[in-house]
Amino acid sequence: MRHSLRLGIAGLGTVGGGVMKLLAREGDQLKARCGRAIEVSAVSARDQNKPRAFELGQAQWVNSPLDLAARDDVDVVVELIGGEDGIALELVQRALEAGKDVVTANKALLAHHGPALAALAEAKNCTIGYEAAVAGGIPIIKCLREGLVANRIERLYGILNGTCNYILTDMEETGREFAEVLSEAKALGYAEADPSFDVGGTDTAHKLAILAALAFGAHVPFGDLFVEGIERIRPADMEFAWDLGYRIKLLGLASREGSGVAARVHPALVPLTAPIAEVGGVMNGITVESDPVGTTVLEGPGAGEGPTASAVVADIADIARGNRQNFYVKGAKDLENAGLVPFSSLIYRYYLRLNVIDKPGVIASITAIMANAEISIESLIQPARAPDEAVPIVIQTHETTESAMASVMQQIDALDAVIEKPCLIRIEAV
Amino acid sequence: MRHSLRLGIAGLGTVGGGVMKLLAREGDQLKARCGRAIEVSAVSARDQNKPRAFELGQAQWVNSPLDLAARDDVDVVVELIGGEDGIALELVQRALEAGKDVVTANKALLAHHGPALAALAEAKNCTIGYEAAVAGGIPIIKCLREGLVANRIERLYGILNGTCNYILTDMEETGREFAEVLSEAKALGYAEADPSFDVGGTDTAHKLAILAALAFGAHVPFGDLFVEGIERIRPADMEFAWDLGYRIKLLGLASREGSGVAARVHPALVPLTAPIAEVGGVMNGITVESDPVGTTVLEGPGAGEGPTASAVVADIADIARGNRQNFYVKGAKDLENAGLVPFSSLIYRYYLRLNVIDKPGVIASITAIMANAEISIESLIQPARAPDEAVPIVIQTHETTESAMASVMQQIDALDAVIEKPCLIRIEAV
């Protein structure tokens, strides 16, 4: 039997604690499965005196996480600190420079620094495991990089943030408004004290950037992603969407478009018949369309102690067994570097909800603006109301470009009869 | 760059042809991804003169597939002949004995000889790739063996046969009878000329035996599996099931039961809310329940040239990259060998449809038989009909054992008023 694989774990919060517990609980099984033991040589955490729900065993405390990268008794640095820069970045860089493998759950770090860290890892003949960075309970990195290795990925999209999906599912089921559901989610621990990172779409965008770079072998400049959150969705939109045959989900979607790659995050109407429409609550779901396989769908818990720890330990086990993969399916220097297809050039069908004063000529004005922009209307619903009362108008368009629709939205918003900022939601043909 | 990985491919039918095409189309990409080229040194097929939709390139014909196991220019034998014994078994044995790795899509072979072949592979330090043997478009072997390596699998179940799922989906959508849909499926090429292997459940059982052995690290004696097919399902059952909140699917299900393992294949009522209820047509779907991840669901095409070839090539790429796994998550000699939990001891809720002559006392007789066996009735539906006319009675029971229900079924079947063999379908709490 080969010598033990020795870990240095930085960060003992929910995920780090989960990893310690899982390594202890499944130690014998992992040793049998990997043909060698997995040991924790050293750990770091902000507060060494905090009570912990696990035993440290043989592991030694280090005062700075950076010390882990310098220790001779550490083969793999497990980075569970988080944050796109700062100490996490420095630790991963130092670990790779010291010739150590890295396992990380840090999506922000990889969304911003993936190609640079991949290049460093290749130069040092090291590997970086990051299954836990995207949808922990779903082995999507392994699926894309190994299971679909012989495929050309054409499109992938997913529900990648459990907090948003929990909120949208609850709004749909109870008819409550976003703000009310969000504050309940905070109280239940499903949403952070500052939820903007989740509900604004940034967390989904981090994960999408990682998936898109891997799937398409391309640089995905994080700042070029179009990102829109769920803050403006109302229960009424969910009801109208349902009547039209759709459900509203926050999607991260990336696709091959000609010789380029498109990627974006926004709420979308998805057909009720799509598997992803059935992914409810805190669950994540990802659909991959590839040639020659066709459509593969994966669903599972995306976050939480158990699923994330499971993904971290799976990456550690891969290293223990000698399954060492490139960060991308190709070398970091071979990534396509053409930038993303501009969001304004993408083509969608749109769902548009307006709140208007019900006066003669309102619909004529709105439809004239759309006709001038050569945007066809697929359906228009205006429920009956008393004259001069506020009334919603719901329009479903045929396909048009983002730029055409943006110009139309400005004009409609400027109409006197439109008394509230219009709500525009893209319809994804998934 | 390391030397090429050299293949000997036995069988050039749909799957073998698909593998040849995919290796040619993605050759450059695979070389970049694996760090070495993949070449086909030699091939065998029943008829060397048949026109083929792919180029043989450098590959040489051999007259017997067994020759592939003896060639110095073959590192990996790819067995795509099929069949649980005979030449396929001999080829795989000889290849392993010669120290060659094996990739196979042969579920019948592995369901019957998995442990023996795994032991031989371990003795020879070889690996057997078999992702293509179960649900080709779904990387379920990789998910269980690597992605969930740190988990304890509690239960897994799936729709593992596309032909059956196509037939059931069509029956539900069109209301047509099994025989009519089956003959159409044959004409469309979705069902074999002799469909008994598919519709009788054997194919599902082969796949389940492989998954259960891997997931639970246990011998799954194929002959001990309870297997029931879909031949007796009628469109009326689907309607009644729908009214009760269920859909009918052919499931393969395996679970940890105390210290034992249970595994069986039969049609089942699954709740409409379960993700697997949404898997329609020829698609496959698998749900894995594990600790600490929770529930993971995977869906995709289970068969056909492209998905199966993709899985075969993924296994070849794993070998090329040095990702060499045990057949099971533990050594073959360490498999649990307690046999399966007897099917008669399992506990279900049941759906029961009877066709009876509507005479006074019929329901009293039936319910008395069930009361004597201490089986509680959850619901009973008898649509209104004219007296003395045949009428269906649909009963949903509370939980009871298979053995209790079997005894009750015999007694009910013996009643004069029951004019057709009763239809019993198990309700799975998935």
Side-chain angles (χ1 to χ4, degrees):
Chain A
M1 189 165 283
R2 291 153 70 201
H3 75 79
S4 302
L5 186 76
R6 299 162 305 172
L7 312 179
I9 300 183
L12 293 176
T14 303
V15 177
V19 169
M20 292 295 289
K21 282 188 253 179
L22 193 54
L23 286 173
R25 191 187 88 172
E26 301 301 331
D28 291 344
Q29 169 164 285
L30 287 164
K31 188 172 177 181
R33 292 180 174 190
C34 300
R36 61 200 290 199
I38 296 169
E39 288 170 9
V40 182
S41 299
V43 298
S44 73
R46 248 181 313 206
D47 180 358
Q48 297 187 10
N49 299 315
K50 201 171 148 184
R52 310 271 175 192
F54 51 87
E55 299 292 322
L56 273 183
Q58 307 286 321
Q60 295 182 351
W61 282 108
V62 295
N63 289 321
S64 161
L66 299 177
D67 297 343
L68 297 171
R71 288 179 72 106
D72 289 339
D73 63 355
V74 167
D75 304 309
V76 181
V77 170
V78 182
E79 186 278 299
L80 304 172
I81 300 170
E84 74 182 67
D85 286 308
I87 196 86
L89 176 60
E90 198 175 344
L91 172 59
V92 171
Q93 285 170 332
R94 286 208 199 175
L96 295 171
E97 276 158 9
K100 298 187 192 307
D101 295 317
V102 170
V103 172
T104 177
N106 190 333
K107 48 205 171 281
L109 177 74
L110 300 181
H112 287 278
H113 305 289
L117 294 173
L120 179 55
E122 285 166 25
K124 295 293 179 176
N125 203 21
C126 293
T127 192
I128 302 176
Y130 58 102
E131 189 67 77
V134 183
I138 301 174
I140 183 63
I141 304 298
K142 194 169 269 294
C143 177
L144 288 173
R145 194 161 51 177
E146 303 174 42
L148 297 174
V149 64
N151 285 259
R152 299 182 187 193
I153 314 290
E154 291 157 353
R155 184 164 75 154
L156 64 83
Y157 54 88
I159 295 170
L160 300 172
N161 182 278
T163 304
C164 288
N165 206 44
Y166 170 85
I167 292 171
L168 292 175
T169 304
D170 190 293
M171 287 172 66
E172 187 183 326
E173 284 172 0
T174 66
R176 296 188 296 171
E177 295 288 348
F178 171 77
E180 185 184 347
V181 178
L182 175 60
S183 52
E184 188 183 271
K186 278 191 215 172
L188 290 170
Y190 290 157
E192 304 286 331
D194 173 8
S196 59
F197 189 76
D198 287 320
V199 301
T202 306
D203 178 72
T204 299
H206 283 152
K207 294 164 183 169
L208 180 70
I210 294 170
L211 293 181
L214 175 59
F216 300 111
H219 280 275
V220 177
F222 188 76
D224 293 355
L225 285 173
F226 176 84
V227 182
E228 185 180 294
I230 63 168
E231 302 93 332
R232 288 178 45 237
I233 307 292
R234 304 201 51 186
D237 295 315
M238 296 177 151
E239 280 180 49
F240 286 122
W242 179 272
D243 290 341
L244 296 167
Y246 297 96
R247 189 167 263 155
I248 298 176
K249 294 291 185 186
L250 180 68
L251 286 194
L253 187 148
S255 53
R256 172 70 66 189
E257 303 286 338
S259 63
V261 173
R264 66 274 196 180
V265 173
H266 54 66
L269 272 67
V270 298
L272 290 171
T273 51
I276 208 143
E278 299 289 328
V279 176
V282 297
M283 295 291 273
N284 282 195
I286 303 169
T287 299
V288 182
E289 296 169 0
S290 67
D291 179 24
V293 156
T295 301
T296 310
V297 183
L298 300 99
E299 301 172 24
E305 178 183 314
T308 311
S310 164
V312 168
V313 176
D315 278 343
I316 294 168
D318 266 349
I319 293 171
R321 289 189 287 199
N323 180 12
R324 304 170 64 81
Q325 300 277 336
N326 264 352
F327 193 93
Y328 303 107
V329 288
K330 47 175 118 176
K333 68 172 178 2
D334 298 322
L335 289 181
E336 292 173 26
N337 204 359
L340 295 176
V341 173
F343 186 68
S344 59
S345 71
L346 297 184
I347 291 171
Y348 284 98
R349 295 164 55 229
Y350 294 86
Y351 161 99
L352 176 59
R353 178 178 48 78
L354 307 171
N355 208 14
V356 303
I357 298 293
D358 192 11
K359 289 183 188 167
V362 173
I363 290 182
S365 312
I366 293 165
T367 53
I369 290 171
M370 299 184 74
N372 276 337
E374 296 190 345
I375 298 175
S376 305
I377 292 173
E378 183 174 331
S379 68
L380 189 151
I381 306 165
Q382 187 206 313
R385 292 290 155 90
D388 295 319
E389 211 183 315
V391 62
I393 295 178
V394 171
I395 297 172
Q396 202 184 169
T397 76
H398 283 292
E399 287 192 339
T400 184
T401 60
E402 266 294 311
S403 53
M405 200 64 199
S407 146
V408 158
M409 290 298 287
Q410 275 194 326
Q411 297 170 60
I412 290 178
D413 197 13
L415 293 174
D416 283 342
V418 174
I419 56 173
E420 198 183 283
K421 191 164 167 56
C423 174
L424 182 78
I425 312 178
R426 294 159 189 92
I427 302 175
E428 285 284 10
V430 299
Chain B
M1 190 166 282
R2 291 154 70 200
H3 75 80
S4 302
L5 186 75
R6 300 163 303 173
L7 312 178
I9 299 183
L12 293 175
T14 304
V15 177
V19 170
M20 291 295 290
K21 282 188 254 178
L22 193 56
L23 286 173
R25 190 187 88 173
E26 301 301 331
D28 290 345
Q29 169 165 287
L30 287 165
K31 189 174 176 178
R33 292 180 174 190
C34 300
R36 61 199 292 201
I38 295 169
E39 287 169 11
V40 182
S41 299
V43 297
S44 72
R46 247 180 316 207
D47 180 358
Q48 296 187 11
N49 299 314
K50 201 171 148 184
R52 310 270 174 194
F54 52 86
E55 299 291 323
L56 274 183
Q58 307 286 322
Q60 295 183 348
W61 282 108
V62 294
N63 287 321
S64 161
L66 298 177
D67 296 344
L68 296 171
R71 286 180 73 108
D72 288 338
D73 63 354
V74 167
D75 303 310
V76 181
V77 169
V78 182
E79 185 277 301
L80 304 172
I81 299 170
E84 72 182 68
D85 286 307
I87 194 87
L89 176 61
E90 196 174 344
L91 172 60
V92 171
Q93 285 171 333
R94 286 207 200 176
L96 295 171
E97 276 158 10
K100 298 186 192 309
D101 294 318
V102 169
V103 172
T104 177
N106 190 334
K107 47 203 169 283
L109 177 74
L110 300 182
H112 287 278
H113 304 290
L117 293 174
L120 179 56
E122 285 165 25
K124 295 291 179 177
N125 203 22
C126 294
T127 190
I128 303 175
Y130 58 102
E131 189 68 77
V134 183
I138 301 174
I140 182 64
I141 304 297
K142 194 170 270 294
C143 177
L144 288 173
R145 194 161 50 178
E146 303 174 41
L148 297 174
V149 64
N151 286 258
R152 298 184 189 191
I153 314 290
E154 290 157 353
R155 184 165 74 153
L156 65 82
Y157 54 89
I159 294 169
L160 300 171
N161 182 279
T163 304
C164 288
N165 207 41
Y166 170 85
I167 292 171
L168 292 175
T169 305
D170 190 293
M171 285 171 67
E172 187 183 325
E173 285 171 0
T174 66
R176 296 189 297 171
E177 295 288 347
F178 171 78
E180 185 183 349
V181 177
L182 174 60
S183 51
E184 189 184 271
K186 278 192 216 174
L188 290 170
Y190 291 156
E192 304 287 329
D194 173 8
S196 58
F197 190 74
D198 288 318
V199 301
T202 307
D203 178 71
T204 299
H206 283 151
K207 295 165 181 168
L208 180 71
I210 294 170
L211 293 181
L214 175 59
F216 299 110
H219 279 275
V220 177
F222 189 76
D224 293 354
L225 285 173
F226 176 83
V227 182
E228 183 181 293
I230 62 170
E231 302 95 330
R232 285 178 45 237
I233 308 291
R234 303 201 51 185
D237 295 314
M238 296 178 151
E239 281 179 49
F240 286 122
W242 179 273
D243 291 340
L244 296 168
Y246 297 96
R247 189 168 263 154
I248 298 176
K249 294 291 185 187
L250 180 68
L251 286 194
L253 188 149
S255 53
R256 172 70 64 188
E257 303 286 338
S259 63
V261 173
R264 65 274 195 180
V265 173
H266 54 66
L269 272 67
V270 297
L272 290 170
T273 51
I276 209 144
E278 298 290 328
V279 176
V282 297
M283 296 291 273
N284 283 194
I286 303 169
T287 298
V288 183
E289 295 169 0
S290 66
D291 179 24
V293 157
T295 301
T296 311
V297 183
L298 301 98
E299 300 171 24
E305 178 183 315
T308 311
S310 165
V312 168
V313 176
D315 278 343
I316 294 168
D318 266 349
I319 293 171
R321 290 189 286 200
N323 180 12
R324 303 171 65 81
Q325 301 277 336
N326 264 352
F327 193 93
Y328 302 107
V329 288
K330 47 176 122 177
K333 68 172 178 1
D334 300 321
L335 289 180
E336 292 172 27
N337 204 359
L340 296 176
V341 173
F343 186 67
S344 58
S345 70
L346 297 185
I347 290 170
Y348 285 98
R349 295 165 56 230
Y350 294 87
Y351 161 99
L352 176 60
R353 179 178 48 78
L354 307 171
N355 208 14
V356 305
I357 298 293
D358 191 10
K359 288 184 188 167
V362 172
I363 290 183
S365 312
I366 293 165
T367 53
I369 290 171
M370 297 183 75
N372 276 338
E374 296 189 348
I375 298 175
S376 306
I377 292 173
E378 182 173 334
S379 67
L380 189 151
I381 306 166
Q382 186 204 313
R385 292 290 155 90
D388 295 320
E389 211 182 317
V391 62
I393 294 178
V394 171
I395 297 171
Q396 205 184 166
T397 75
H398 283 291
E399 287 193 338
T400 185
T401 60
E402 266 293 313
S403 53
M405 199 64 197
S407 146
V408 158
M409 290 297 286
Q410 274 194 329
Q411 297 171 60
I412 290 177
D413 196 14
L415 294 174
D416 284 342
V418 174
I419 57 173
E420 200 183 281
K421 192 165 166 54
C423 174
L424 181 80
I425 311 178
R426 293 160 189 91
I427 302 176
E428 284 285 10
V430 297

